[in-house]
């Protein structure tokens, strides 16, 4: 069965310092993996996605993630945090179901707090 | 349209009341998804439409939940005889289709059942 574990419920960093949000997945197949961001009172927005091409994926707003099959990880990083990065981040794995449908299995989320 | 829209944005219902939540997907998007997001949790899948066909409703928590998309565009999620545990944000997403295509999310409807 597919699952996603986000290892930290909250991460707090100072503005200008690196960000690391950790995600481990479990999948029987070659997974497709995503990171979504949710700002308060706003809709979910796709940051980046991994679809079995390059293992290092670059997304919007300076974020990137590296797919490591041996570690079953897909951690999200950013070299320098900005105040506008404060939000909830979700790691997501895609599951192929019936009728060629796919379903997204979501992690519980990591709240990123940026200290001035 | 420019994005996925949902209405109402907020809904307060008394226990036992029926509610209807609307989703307008991005024009031309074949796939439409409904999710339920409880406070402090990630979204959980409810149901999936491909055009007007409801291909997967395995995530609907009970037979009080019903979704439709009769013309393959706008979708309505109906909850009958609401209970307090139904309180959550209900998210709608649409996609051009396919396994790795991005899902575009609406702002959600926050339902509070008193």
């Amino acid at each position: 069965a597919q699952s996603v574990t986000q290892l930290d419920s909250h991460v707090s960093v100072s503005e200008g310092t690196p960000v690391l949000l950790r995600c481990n997945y479990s999948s029987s197949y070659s997974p497709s993996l995503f990171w979504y961001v949710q700002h308060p009172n706003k809709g979910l927005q796709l940051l980046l996605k991994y679809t079995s091409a390059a293992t290092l994926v670059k997304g919007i707003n300076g974020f990137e993630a590296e797919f490591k099959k041996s570690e079953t990880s897909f951690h999200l990083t950013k070299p320098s945090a900005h105040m506008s990065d404060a939000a909830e981040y979700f790691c997501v794995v895609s599951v192929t179901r019936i009728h060629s449908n796919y379903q997204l299995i979501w992690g519980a989320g990591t709240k990123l707090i940026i200290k001035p | 349209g420019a994005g996925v829209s949902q209405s109402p944005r907020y809904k307060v219902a008394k226990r036992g009341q029926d509610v209807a939540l609307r989703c307008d997907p991005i024009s031309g998007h074949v796939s439409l998804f409904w999710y339920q997001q409880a406070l402090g949790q990630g979204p959980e899948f409810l149901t999936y439409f491909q055009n007007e066909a409801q291909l997967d409703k395995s995530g609907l928590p009970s037979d009080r939940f019903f979704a439709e998309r009769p013309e393959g565009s706008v979708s309505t999620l109906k909850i009958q005889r609401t209970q307090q545990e139904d309180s959550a944000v209900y998210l709608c997403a649409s996609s051009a289709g396919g396994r790795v295509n991005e899902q575009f999310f609406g702002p959600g409807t926050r339902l509070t059942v008193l």
Side-chain angles (χ1 to χ4, degrees), chain B residues 6-48:
Chain B
Q6 293 185 245
S7 61
R9 290 293 310 277
Y10 302 90
K11 176 70 178 176
V12 178
K14 292 182 179 179
R15 189 167 45 184
Q17 189 178 352
D18 297 349
V19 298
L21 312 179
R22 177 188 169 105
C23 172
D24 283 84
I26 292 172
S27 179
H29 274 191
V30 169
S31 300
L32 185 146
F33 302 80
W34 283 100
Y35 295 87
Q36 181 189 61
Q37 186 176 20
L39 191 65
Q41 302 291 322
E44 291 197 4
F45 171 80
L46 293 178
T47 187
Y48 161 70

Side-chain angles (χ1 to χ4, degrees), chain A residues 29-32 34 36 38 41-46 49-51 88 90 94-104 106-109, chain B residues 9-10 31 33 35 37 40-45 48 50 55-56 58 89 91 95 97-108 110:
Chain A
Y29 311 100
S30 295
S32 292
F34 307 79
Y36 277 83
Q38 188 174 38
N41 298 315
K42 292 190 177 179
L44 286 154
Q45 183 183 20
L46 180 68
K49 63 183 180 185
Y50 166 76
T51 57
E88 187 95 22
F90 293 95
S94 172
V95 176
T96 302
R97 290 176 57 86
I98 58 173
H99 302 292
S100 301
N101 165 30
Y102 73 100
Q103 211 182 96
L104 299 182
W106 296 72
Chain B
R9 290 293 310 277
Y10 302 90
S31 300
F33 302 80
Y35 295 87
Q37 186 176 20
Q41 302 291 322
E44 291 197 4
F45 171 80
Y48 161 70
Q50 189 176 86
L55 299 186
D56 190 342
S58 61
V89 175
L91 297 167
S95 167
R99 182 164 178 254
V100 297
N101 279 0
E102 176 181 355
Q103 290 187 13
F104 293 84
F105 283 81
R110 182 177 296 278

Side-chain angles (χ1 to χ4, degrees), chain A residues 24-62:
Chain A
N24 286 98
Y25 69 91
S26 170
S27 176
S28 304
Y29 311 100
S30 295
S32 292
L33 294 158
F34 307 79
W35 276 96
Y36 277 83
V37 61
Q38 188 174 38
H39 286 92
N41 298 315
K42 292 190 177 179
L44 286 154
Q45 183 183 20
L46 180 68
L47 273 180
L48 49 80
K49 63 183 180 185
Y50 166 76
T51 57
S52 72
T55 56
L56 182 62
V57 182
K58 293 188 184 299
I60 62 172
N61 301 336

